[in-house]
Amino acid sequence: MTGAWHASLSKMLAQRVSDPDLVQLLDAIASACWSIARAVRTSALDDNQGSTDTVNVQGEAQKPLDILANDLFMQALDPCSRVAAALSEEVEEVTWLKSPQKGDFIVSFDPLDGSSNIDVDLSVGTIFSISTIVADNDQEVLQKGRNLLVAGYAIYGPSTVFVLTLGDFVDGFTLDLEADEFLLTYPDMRIPFEASEFAINVSRQRHWPQPVSQYVADCISGPDGPRGKAFNMRWTASLVADFHRILTRGGVFLYPVDEENEAEGGKLRLMYEAIPMAFITEAAGGAATDGIDSILDLQPTASHQRVGVVLGSSDEVQRIAAAHI
Ligand code: AFP
């Protein structure tokens, strides 16, 4: 039995998005995510696990699925005539698809985030954002997150969920394999203001800056500590999975700049990890900073720039920012 009473993604896009080229692009991205979901599901059967002998621009070993997901995403963009440029985690240079005109789209994406989780069958995802070219012949893809038109992601977990915002509502659509469609199952997702869960890679504790060490120490000291309540900790090592949990039930995600990753500027990538997730976070009523400043107000300076990330329930994010000042 299918959830036939749920609105479909394509119907919702046709109703809510007035620009037909943007509807076409979003439909194309959703269908790329569907193809990637299928490739993830059958990766062991298709002999697509393990690593290749290539590394990406970040110096990380590429998985066959990283490359396949990138190809599937790029193929989906191909018929979208207003896409001028694509920036992918897996490709060093920006790919120009046409000579840019005012109003054309720039798509930034991480085709398969958290791909170290594939071989252990845990959730991975695709993250993307769309912005527009501001003037004819403008080749500037490094725009502030505040200028985004759209951000979203797909999580490939027990079900495939496509989460999308145009800056107002954040809606989640579950892939219904029988109906052949993404159906609206999580309308108007909101991040609870307060939280009692945090997500951080504790193995890096010795490198953390003092405010982060203090925040975590306060959380884990439980009802008798300064927070006066018990906190839970969860870490999936897949931003999409950790973020989806926080979007669904609240919490805070931290990947700070620390003593070890300081020279690179942090771990997570600004253009296709931090900015899209920050845009979704704010649209869902949460907050997203680099520890102090709003991620959406940062001016990117390089395509594969890294950044510290603290995002989730706004009360927790503000508390951490206040401790940094
Ligand atoms: P990959 O996409 O290269 O697997 O990176 C995943 C990631 O950028 C993000 O999704 C996780 O939150 C983070 O790295 C995990 O980092 P640790 O390796 O420190 O757990």
Side-chain angles (χ1 to χ4, degrees):
M1 187 169 135
T2 63
W5 56 90
H6 297 292
S8 72
L9 173 65
S10 10
K11 202 171 279 176
M12 197 218 76
L13 289 175
Q15 278 167 1
R16 292 237 303 257
V17 182
S18 54
D19 181 343
D21 294 329
L22 185 57
V23 173
Q24 180 198 21
L25 174 56
L26 288 170
D27 270 331
I29 291 175
S31 88
C33 292
W34 184 347
S35 305
I36 297 168
R38 197 180 297 126
V40 167
R41 213 170 47 244
T42 60
S43 64
L45 302 169
D46 300 340
D47 212 11
N48 261 341
Q49 296 194 334
S51 289
T52 64
D53 50 11
T54 56
V55 292
N56 65 14
V57 57
Q58 332 283 341
E60 299 159 345
Q62 286 179 308
K63 307 254 175 203
L65 274 182
D66 285 323
I67 297 170
L68 180 59
N70 185 67
D71 292 349
L72 289 168
F73 202 102
M74 286 302 294
Q75 280 161 23
L77 298 186
D78 210 38
C80 301
S81 56
R82 254 178 65 204
V83 176
L87 168 63
S88 165
E89 181 193 10
E90 299 304 327
V91 182
E92 182 158 8
E93 300 294 335
V94 172
T95 306
W96 286 95
L97 300 164
K98 71 190 284 277
S99 123
Q101 286 173 341
K102 187 176 174 191
D104 280 349
F105 302 123
I106 304 166
V107 183
S108 299
F109 64 101
D110 182 348
L112 203 58
D113 181 66
S115 55
S116 61
N117 279 320
I118 292 164
D119 296 358
V120 292
D121 220 356
L122 290 176
S123 300
V124 291
T126 298
I127 308 172
F128 66 92
S129 69
I130 304 171
S131 54
T132 46
I133 302 255
V134 290
D136 287 348
N137 302 319
D138 179 5
Q139 299 233 339
E140 189 48 86
V141 298
L142 301 177
Q143 297 190 18
K144 284 187 184 179
R146 280 282 162 230
N147 300 341
L148 285 193
L149 211 53
V150 175
Y153 64 86
I155 178 165
Y156 313 120
S159 60
T160 294
V161 181
F162 187 78
V163 173
L164 181 72
T165 184
L166 283 86
D168 44 9
F169 303 105
V170 178
D171 290 323
F173 300 82
T174 301
L175 178 57
D176 183 331
L177 292 167
E178 285 178 47
D180 247 19
E181 274 185 299
F182 281 101
L183 300 178
L184 181 62
T185 42
Y186 306 98
D188 197 10
M189 302 173 88
R190 306 289 300 166
I191 300 178
F193 183 66
E194 279 184 82
S196 48
E197 274 187 354
F198 64 97
I200 191 165
N201 180 349
V202 175
S203 70
R204 305 187 63 81
Q205 185 166 16
R206 67 192 181 284
H207 306 301
W208 289 345
Q210 198 278 333
V212 172
S213 298
Q214 190 60 56
Y215 175 78
V216 172
D218 290 351
C219 288
I220 61 178
S221 58
D224 297 332
R227 303 302 304 273
K229 64 178 182 180
F231 276 75
N232 205 350
M233 201 287 283
R234 291 282 181 268
W235 185 251
T236 317
S238 160
L239 173 62
V240 169
D242 284 314
F243 182 81
H244 194 67
R245 186 185 59 253
I246 289 167
L247 178 60
T248 307
R249 68 181 188 206
V252 62
F253 172 97
L254 301 97
Y255 213 121
V257 174
D258 62 31
E259 267 173 22
E260 197 190 49
N261 65 32
E262 197 171 16
E264 288 86 47
K267 158 95 190 201
L268 299 187
R269 279 52 61 109
L270 178 61
M271 291 302 292
Y272 38 78
E273 290 183 313
I275 284 181
M277 291 317 202
F279 192 75
I280 300 167
T281 301
E282 288 203 9
T289 70
D290 60 358
I292 302 175
D293 297 314
S294 167
I295 286 173
L296 296 183
D297 291 327
L298 301 178
Q299 176 59 60
T301 54
S303 304
H304 300 281
Q305 182 177 349
R306 295 177 190 258
V307 69
V309 175
V310 177
L311 58 75
S313 296
S314 56
D315 209 23
E316 298 301 313
V317 175
Q318 308 307 353
R319 178 183 289 270
I320 296 161
H324 273 86
I325 295 165

